[in-house]
Amino acid sequence: MTKTLDKIQTQEQLPSSTRVVIIGGGIVGVTAALALAERNIPVVLLEKGHIAGEQSSRNLGWIRKTNRHLHDIPLAQAADRLWAEMSNRIGCDVGYKQSGIMFLAKTEAQLAMHEAWLKSVEPLSLDSRMVSPKDIEELAPGGKGKWLGGIYTPSDGNAEPSIAASAIAKAAVKKGAIIVQQCAVRTLSTEGGKVSGVVTEKGEIRCEQVLLAGGAWSRRFLGNLGISFPTLPLICSVLRTKPMEGPTNIAVGGPDFSFRKHQDGGFIITQRGKLDAPVTLDHMLIGHKYLDQLRTQRSFLNVSMGRYFFKDLGLSRHWGAKNRSPFEKVRANDPDVNADLNQQALNNLRAAWPVFEKAEVAEAWAGIIDVTPDSNPVIDHIESIPGLTIATGFSGHGFGTGPAAGQLAADLISNSEPIIDPSPYRFGRL
């Protein structure tokens, strides 16, 4: 995890019963807990490791509408509103800034892609607009990149992953939620085919409903219940620089780098044109569902078979309530950093903005992204197990929509008016 992650203290004692149990202490799980607690619904959140110990603290912190699927944008718009209100809502800073995001194009094909997206979202009247090379220089001065243009959305922004989920979790506890860390959920208890509780490594909790917000672990948890949920892993390596002067406070995505200002004055940088794609057994089991993605995105994937394959293969796929689960054996996915990709990103960025020649690396980390076949999450009830709802499969953009996704899950659980139309996120589409 990142050095700057704000670890929190929570209770160790497991309650005997509650109304809702949330499995997973990432951004979606903690915001769902907050929303339920605010409605005076008894809720217990269980996290096998630390709150935000995995991708919720390892992502880039971008909060964007740009380049999302048309039907995914209402969730992003709802998240914009919730992020803007979050610090006042919880009485604590989450690092949110609506400073804008700009994507750059070096080729006609890249420029056409941005133009096509902008045309596709015309009905939503977003503030996104195409920008010229002159605009790019005005928005991010001092560049040497030969850009044909780009797309810029002033209302996009960012928050700080190392503090946001932890701050929201603290607020949820103050409002009545119970959070227990270092407590893995092994499986569900059922009576008459319906959820009646969860079995953890510390014992059983009786409950009426369960929300699974387990990120990259959700496929394995659901598979043990006989439910096939397709996700495959990608690994994103990231670096943070020491404090330095930069060209802009706007987050910028080039074809082979991205950067945004960190709250400490440094920059968060990644190689936007490459992600590590470690081969796993799941590629053989469900890889056919990803053929369309592979055809269009193969150049972005650094495919390899190595240590990750054998570590994944060594974890059980089926276990009983009395058996030690994979979630107790591995408390957090902590993949190796790809130093070569990070160096590529830094080199590419230095060529585009020479000011980054002064950049010194403060730290580097990597995180697991759980990708669905259509790159959108599932936020839905599981009909085969009444009482089970899932909010998972966010495919690398869950931090930005996290507050709205968590609230939508809470709405479904509490049978409240949903914050947005949930139909794009139904389980059955996969």
Side-chain angles (χ1 to χ4, degrees), residues 193-344:
K194 298 180 180 180
V195 166
S196 61
V198 299
V199 179
T200 81
E201 61 182 302
K202 295 183 176 182
E204 184 174 359
I205 303 179
R206 306 285 293 179
C207 65
E208 300 172 14
Q209 298 197 65
V210 170
L211 171 63
L212 175 64
W217 295 98
S218 297
R219 171 170 167 77
R220 198 173 297 265
F221 185 90
L222 291 169
N224 191 48
L225 300 174
I227 298 168
S228 178
F229 180 68
T231 58
L232 290 176
L234 294 176
I235 299 176
C236 181
S237 292
V238 188
L239 66 89
R240 177 175 62 85
T241 75
K242 295 178 181 178
M244 60 171 287
E245 291 298 320
T248 181
N249 288 326
I250 296 170
V252 177
D256 50 14
F257 64 82
S258 75
F259 67 91
R260 67 105 176 155
K261 193 77 169 176
H262 187 261
Q263 65 174 1
D264 75 348
F267 284 85
I268 303 294
I269 298 170
T270 191
Q271 215 296 32
R272 188 169 165 265
K274 279 287 184 183
L275 291 169
D276 284 314
V279 174
T280 66
L281 177 61
D282 282 337
H283 285 77
M284 303 167 200
L285 298 175
I286 59 172
H288 62 281
K289 292 179 177 288
Y290 292 80
L291 292 178
D292 287 343
Q293 282 196 12
L294 185 62
R295 277 190 285 267
T296 59
Q297 300 179 27
R298 176 63 183 88
S299 63
F300 291 94
L301 303 178
N302 190 24
V303 179
S304 65
M305 179 180 285
R307 188 168 60 172
Y308 188 92
F309 176 88
F310 295 102
K311 288 174 67 177
D312 178 76
L313 195 63
L315 291 176
S316 302
R317 289 177 178 262
H318 299 285
W319 60 91
K322 295 182 179 179
N323 303 122
R324 189 171 178 237
S325 67
F327 321 118
E328 295 153 72
K329 296 176 182 177
V330 180
R331 296 286 173 179
N333 273 318
D334 194 19
D336 294 334
V337 174
N338 188 325
D340 289 340
L341 288 185
N342 277 351
Q343 189 60 53
Q344 285 177 25

Side-chain angles (χ1 to χ4, degrees), residues 398-413:
F399 180 79
T401 55
Q407 183 160 323
L408 178 58
D411 293 340
L412 296 178
I413 287 170

Side-chain angles (χ1 to χ4, degrees), residues 64-68 73 76-77 80 117 126 153 155-156:
R64 63 175 175 85
K65 299 170 290 297
T66 315
N67 291 334
R68 289 187 182 273
I73 292 176
Q77 290 175 309
D80 277 353
W117 177 82
L126 302 179
T153 306
S155 62
D156 283 348

